[in-house]
Amino acid sequence: MAEEMRKLRHYIPLLAFFLLSKIYAQEVPQPVIELDEFIQKLAATQQEDANYEDLYEAILQFYLNPLDINKADAGELRSLYVLSEIQIQSLLQHRTKYGNLLSLYELQSVENFDQETIKNLLPFVRIIQKLQSNDIKGIYRRATDHFFVIRAEQTLEKARGYTDSIFLGSPQKIYARYRLQHPKDFSLGFIMEKDQGEPNLADYTTFHFQLQNKGKLRNMILGDYQLQFGQGLILSGGYAAGKGGEPIYTTRRSDLGIRPHNSVLEGGFLRGAAASYDFGQIQLTGFASYTKRDASLNTSVEEREDVFSSILIAGLHRTEAEIAKKGVLPEQNYGLNAKFRLNGGHIGFTVLNTTFGNQIERNPREYALHEFKGTQNIVAGPNFSYSWQNFNFFGEAARSSSGGIGAVGGFVASLSPQLEWALNLRNYDRDFHSFYANAFGEASRNINEKGMYTGLKYSPKRGITFSAFYDKYKFPWLRYLVDAPSDGDDYLLRFTLKPTKKWIFYTQYHRERKQRNSPNNETTTDYLTDSYRQNLLAHFETGLGKNFKSQTRLQYNSFLYYGLTRSNGFALIQDIEGAVGQLQLKTRIALFKTDDYNSRIYAYENDVLYTVSFPAYFGTGTRLYLVSRYSVNRNIDLWFRIARTSLLNTETISSGYNEIEAPHRSDLKLQIRYKF
């Protein structure tokens, strides 16, 4: 009798959800996305070379193209960084046992799903009742997202690049974006941008046309696109989260295939055509690309003006020297990915051939001895992902034309509903060359590195989470400003308390040790010494009435070369945000003091839609900003942002061409979105 009652209790929620869906005949509305907490969690250890624009864009694309909860496979669900392995397996088992979900309300009956998980998941999933059209007719009629955005911004104070007539263009930055799409069906869009100081209004443009789910055609893009297969050791377009406040889900990459390139980052994407076809359990993806990259000439090669030392990705074309480097290096890519689906996972193989129109040869430095040299590079290798019970095993290996090998692999496991564990091992040879790789690692490129990472997350009860990671790594060969083989390690400890929807507190400690050339060295040769970087922060957020909330953040950074003076940095940050009718407001006041640039503090800032900001605070001063959004009507939204940094005990701000002859900097930004 007790067993029958237990089974009956399990079916009651399903019956209730079925009746509700019939009575109300409506679906859960897609929540308005709040990226602040999500981004700060993934990017908890900010670095100046991190690709935050692509992080924002990747999350935004998941929001604009929500997964069909009844068709999404395990790999797609993992790509959201929301569900644990035990939750993913519970959802798949629920679909197998009870059939398709009738409503997103039914997520409440999935085993191991709690309210917080469902809240985080809802912005990225839908139930699609109607099959997509198998043709391209009626695109305009089927579109669910159709908008045009234009944005202008300017720094009010003039930098040295303008006062000395070095910059050839105006001080305004202009951005325009158009998008017409229906999720999992088609997408058409373009972006145009001019950076501050650039003379050409359309200095950077990107365009794509995408079709999905047309018979055997799974995905096709013409124009600019990115590719992500396996663990990103050969192709990993866009941002790939690594070490941060989320220590489990970010250690692996998701096999996302072809995606449109939608960011303003002027490197790391392909231009041409790519298509994926399904043949039963086998999926084949072919791609071809031709574009011209910015590059620097190798001035050490005498009497040669067709040898380049490096490919540039900054995308700045403000001066005659910068313009001379624009689009001077032809690059051609083509390749193939094959994926064979298994019960519980897949096996894949990727090959990429990259050919440059001119010779690439790094400047003669000992640390660059094993860098790529030549005009052609082929990199190829297998990858896999397999789930067994609550374990997900993954890995990828590849070999480049140089003979160098790269390999990465590990697992993510749910040991219980409360405890998760991740392990990642990596080994990238000093002569392994993969230009579009972004696999898990410490360095910005997958070369000359060995490491082992482990992460844990423990949630003893609702609203309480302990998370941590430890990473140990070595660099077997020299690096820039590191004139010997070196090693390092870092770890992070984080405690999160979220007892209610309107109240959250977390504190985090991160310490990193790396070997570098000893400063102020007067010996004949450089020698290494340990450097230590520490970061301690406390964040408190609470609701203020019905429409407002407060966020208070205290942060301390320190940097130390072993045996030398420590550099310290402090910041106190107060944010208030809320809404009054159709007007939304977000504001900040920050007080900061750092001894020098080494103890700088990175702080996430709210910005207008489709952009993200992670500036570094250093020196002694204040940082203020106000962001407002006003919905004029159902079609038109306006954003306005003003930000000002004021420094004490200095007469200038910034350096180089961006130096301002004043102790302050003021930035204005205006954006308009029209939804058709």
Side-chain angles (χ1 to χ4, degrees):
M1 183 66 177
E3 179 66 19
E4 292 178 353
M5 289 299 296
R6 187 188 65 82
K7 292 181 179 180
L8 182 60
R9 285 198 301 269
H10 183 80
Y11 284 102
I12 288 175
L14 296 181
L15 179 60
F17 296 136
F18 177 78
L19 293 175
L20 283 172
S21 64
K22 294 298 183 181
I23 293 173
Y24 294 104
Q26 63 182 13
E27 187 51 87
V28 181
Q30 187 179 26
V32 176
I33 192 169
E34 292 289 346
L35 293 180
D36 300 3
E37 182 184 344
F38 200 64
I39 290 178
Q40 291 184 74
K41 185 177 180 181
L42 293 181
T45 57
Q46 295 90 32
Q47 299 295 331
E48 60 183 337
D49 58 352
N51 193 343
Y52 297 117
E53 287 285 352
D54 262 1
L55 166 62
Y56 182 93
E57 186 63 39
I59 299 173
L60 182 66
Q61 289 309 309
F62 285 133
Y63 178 73
L64 293 176
N65 297 274
L67 297 176
D68 184 346
I69 195 68
N70 287 321
K71 294 183 179 179
D73 59 27
E76 291 174 318
L77 293 170
R78 292 182 189 118
S79 69
L80 301 177
Y81 302 131
V82 171
L83 300 177
S84 68
E85 195 61 29
I86 197 170
Q87 289 171 332
I88 291 172
Q89 297 306 319
S90 294
L91 176 59
L92 298 179
Q93 292 168 9
H94 184 95
R95 290 189 337 206
T96 300
K97 188 173 183 178
Y98 301 107
N100 287 343
L101 278 69
L102 301 176
S103 165
L104 290 179
Y105 290 110
E106 193 177 335
L107 289 171
Q108 297 176 77
S109 69
V110 177
E111 190 175 2
N112 298 309
F113 272 52
D114 54 30
Q115 292 298 321
E116 184 67 18
T117 297
I118 295 172
K119 175 188 173 184
N120 294 333
L121 182 63
L122 284 179
F124 307 112
V125 295
R126 293 287 85 190
I127 290 179
I128 301 176
Q129 304 288 357
K130 185 178 180 181
L131 294 176
Q132 308 294 345
S133 173
N134 284 328
D135 57 46
I136 61 174
K137 297 179 181 179
I139 281 181
Y140 186 88
R141 176 176 50 81
R142 297 202 306 272
T144 54
D145 296 293
H146 190 194
F147 59 83
F148 177 72
V149 172
I150 187 166
R151 179 170 70 235
E153 56 186 285
Q154 180 177 343
T155 300
L156 298 185
E157 298 85 355
K158 283 193 174 182
R160 187 167 71 86
Y162 302 105
T163 58
D164 294 354
S165 300
I166 299 171
F167 292 161
L168 303 180
S170 67
Q172 293 81 32
K173 182 174 182 177
I174 307 296
Y175 170 95
R177 177 174 187 164
Y178 173 80
R179 190 71 174 264
L180 174 71
Q181 74 166 18
H182 185 207
K184 310 305 177 186
D185 184 5
F186 71 88
S187 175
L188 172 68
F190 74 82
I191 294 174
M192 181 190 74
E193 185 199 46
K194 179 193 90 72
D195 286 313
Q196 293 178 346
E198 293 180 338
N200 185 359
L201 185 62
D203 182 83
Y204 166 75
T205 57
T206 181
F207 166 85
H208 78 270
F209 174 67
Q210 179 183 34
L211 288 176
Q212 294 177 277
N213 302 312
K214 311 301 178 195
K216 292 184 178 181
L217 177 65
R218 178 72 177 271
N219 196 357
M220 181 193 75
I221 292 183
L222 302 176
D224 295 342
Y225 59 92
Q226 297 174 327
L227 298 168
Q228 184 163 318
F229 298 115
Q231 292 305 304
L233 196 53
I234 300 175
L235 288 162
S236 180
Y239 179 87
K243 294 182 286 187
E246 170 46 63
I248 305 298
Y249 315 143
T250 58
T251 61
R252 63 190 170 194
R253 303 292 184 253
S254 298
D255 201 288
L256 299 176
I258 314 169
R259 296 183 296 163
H261 175 66
N262 286 303
S263 81
V264 295
L265 295 169
E266 301 184 28
F269 65 91
L270 302 174
R271 174 166 291 175
S276 295
Y277 285 87
D278 281 342
F279 301 95
Q281 291 181 284
I282 299 176
Q283 182 180 101
L284 296 178
T285 301
F287 56 92
S289 166
Y290 177 81
T291 188
K292 293 185 176 181
R293 304 295 188 196
D294 295 3
S296 293
L297 282 172
N298 189 328
T299 57
S300 65
V301 181
E302 298 181 358
E303 300 180 357
R304 292 284 300 273
E305 295 185 358
D306 60 348
V307 178
F308 294 90
S309 62
S310 60
I311 298 174
L312 307 175
I313 60 174
L316 295 175
H317 310 115
R318 306 162 298 178
T319 68
E320 291 182 356
E322 290 174 349
I323 293 174
K325 299 175 182 179
K326 181 179 180 180
V328 293
L329 179 62
E331 178 188 298
Q332 176 179 294
N333 288 278
Y334 59 86
L336 180 71
N337 172 265
K339 181 165 68 174
F340 181 73
R341 299 185 184 91
L342 305 169
N343 290 330
H346 74 267
I347 298 174
F349 188 88
T350 308
V351 59
L352 169 65
N353 180 89
T354 302
T355 304
F356 298 103
N358 299 92
Q359 177 90 358
I360 292 182
E361 184 175 335
R362 294 290 296 271
N363 289 320
R365 299 287 189 276
E366 194 170 4
Y367 71 84
L369 182 64
H370 300 285
E371 293 285 355
F372 174 79
K373 180 188 299 185
T375 59
Q376 185 181 34
N377 183 59
I378 299 175
V379 58
N383 65 81
F384 78 94
S385 176
Y386 181 74
S387 294
W388 173 74
Q389 295 186 357
N390 294 323
F391 281 74
N392 172 237
F393 299 90
F394 55 85
E396 184 171 17
R399 181 182 187 275
S400 61
S401 295
S402 62
I405 300 293
V408 59
F411 63 78
V412 168
S414 292
L415 303 181
S416 73
Q418 293 79 34
L419 182 62
E420 298 174 79
W421 177 29
L423 180 69
N424 185 296
L425 305 173
R426 60 196 187 271
N427 187 356
Y428 311 132
D429 286 349
R430 60 188 180 182
D431 59 346
F432 174 67
H433 306 133
S434 188
F435 300 119
Y436 289 89
N438 193 10
F440 187 88
E442 167 64 22
S444 58
R445 297 186 300 138
N446 299 141
I447 185 173
N448 183 36
E449 180 177 339
K450 297 181 179 181
M452 182 179 73
Y453 169 100
T454 187
L456 289 170
K457 184 161 65 173
Y458 177 56
S459 302
K461 59 171 57 179
R462 179 181 176 183
I464 297 178
T465 303
F466 298 91
S467 55
F469 74 72
Y470 176 75
D471 189 34
K472 176 70 174 177
Y473 46 85
K474 293 182 179 181
F475 304 111
W477 186 245
L478 287 58
R479 305 172 68 224
Y480 178 63
L481 298 181
V482 185
D483 295 337
S486 60
D487 61 47
D489 60 76
D490 70 323
Y491 63 85
L492 179 143
L493 305 171
R494 183 182 177 108
F495 167 71
T496 303
L497 177 63
K498 193 172 184 180
T500 69
K501 294 181 179 179
K502 291 188 175 183
W503 199 98
I504 181 172
F505 169 80
Y506 64 82
T507 183
Q508 174 180 291
Y509 174 73
H510 177 234
R511 194 220 66 165
E512 179 185 55
R513 179 191 66 85
K514 276 187 177 180
Q515 291 183 306
R516 309 167 189 255
N517 288 343
S518 179
N520 306 318
N521 175 40
E522 296 180 356
T523 63
T524 304
T525 59
D526 287 322
Y527 64 91
L528 304 188
T529 187
D530 287 334
S531 68
Y532 296 88
R533 189 181 300 277
Q534 297 182 89
N535 170 270
L536 177 64
L537 67 87
H539 178 101
F540 175 69
E541 178 180 325
T542 185
L544 299 176
K546 183 179 180 180
N547 297 322
F548 284 82
K549 70 177 180 180
S550 166
Q551 295 179 340
T552 304
R553 185 183 182 102
L554 180 64
Q555 189 162 334
Y556 165 74
N557 282 9
S558 73
F559 180 83
L560 171 69
Y561 276 111
Y562 180 75
L564 299 178
T565 304
R566 182 189 302 270
S567 171
N568 297 302
F570 302 87
L572 175 62
I573 301 170
Q574 177 62 56
D575 292 353
I576 300 290
E577 59 182 81
V580 179
Q582 298 299 311
L583 179 64
Q584 297 180 4
L585 298 170
K586 298 182 179 182
T587 185
R588 163 173 297 179
I589 178 170
L591 309 176
F592 58 89
K593 183 182 186 302
T594 71
D595 293 335
D596 51 41
Y597 188 70
N598 282 329
S599 55
R600 64 196 179 275
I601 291 176
Y602 288 98
Y604 173 79
E605 293 189 350
N606 290 296
D607 213 314
V608 302
L609 188 65
Y610 306 122
T611 189
V612 66
S613 180
F614 257 114
Y617 297 173
F618 64 93
T620 301
T622 61
R623 173 73 171 172
L624 308 171
Y625 72 71
L626 171 68
V627 184
S628 63
R629 173 186 175 180
Y630 181 71
S631 297
V632 179
N633 53 45
R634 60 180 298 183
N635 301 106
I636 301 176
D637 293 297
L638 302 177
W639 284 264
F640 174 76
R641 187 179 196 264
I642 182 169
R644 183 179 175 91
T645 300
S646 300
L647 299 180
L648 301 176
N649 306 320
T650 184
E651 296 180 356
T652 63
I653 192 169
S654 196
S655 61
Y657 293 153
N658 295 317
E659 184 180 77
I660 295 172
E661 292 291 333
H664 51 77
R665 170 174 172 158
S666 308
D667 299 295
L668 294 179
K669 189 177 296 184
L670 177 65
Q671 176 169 292
I672 303 173
R673 180 180 65 177
Y674 182 82
K675 293 185 288 187
F676 296 89

